[in-house]
Amino acid sequence: MEHNFDVEQIKEQEYQEELKQSQKKDFKFSWVSSSAFLFYLTFACLILFTWGGCYRLYTKRFEKPAVTIQESTLYTPKYK
C-alpha cells in the first residue's frame, strides 16, 4: 500500500511541475511577458494609427476652390 502512495505522490509532483511550466509560458499567468507584449502592441498601434492619419491627411488634403470674385472688390478695383 505504501508503494502505491509513493507513485501517486510522484505523479502529483510531476503534474504540479508541468502545470507551473505551462503557466509560466501562458499569457494570462505571466505578468512580465504579458505587460511587455501589451506595451509593444500599444506602441505599434499608436505608430500605425499616427502614420495612417498623416497619410490620410496627405492624400485628402484641402484643395483651394476656384472662387469668382467681383472685380469691384479687388485691391485695385475695376469699374465699368
Side-chain angles (χ1 to χ4, degrees):
M1 187 75 173
E2 174 117 0
H3 180 62
N4 191 19
F5 180 71
D6 291 339
V7 172
E8 292 295 324
Q9 190 175 16
I10 292 172
K11 284 183 181 179
E12 182 66 27
Q13 273 184 331
E14 289 177 355
Y15 173 73
Q16 291 298 329
E17 289 174 10
E18 187 175 324
L19 185 64
K20 285 180 185 178
Q21 287 177 351
S22 67
Q23 285 180 349
K24 191 182 291 186
K25 295 176 184 176
D26 196 3
F27 178 78
K28 63 184 176 180
F29 290 109
S30 178
W31 182 82
V32 175
S33 65
S34 63
S35 64
F37 172 74
L38 290 176
F39 171 76
Y40 289 123
L41 180 66
T42 304
F43 189 71
C45 288
L46 178 70
I47 295 298
L48 287 173
F49 279 116
T50 304
W51 181 82
C54 291
Y55 179 74
R56 176 79 175 184
L57 285 172
Y58 179 75
T59 57
K60 303 288 183 185
R61 61 182 176 259
F62 180 74
E63 297 173 2
K64 293 182 182 179
V67 179
T68 56
I69 302 172
Q70 292 182 1
E71 292 183 349
S72 62
T73 60
L74 293 174
Y75 184 72
T76 54
K78 298 177 183 175
Y79 297 107
K80 293 183 180 178

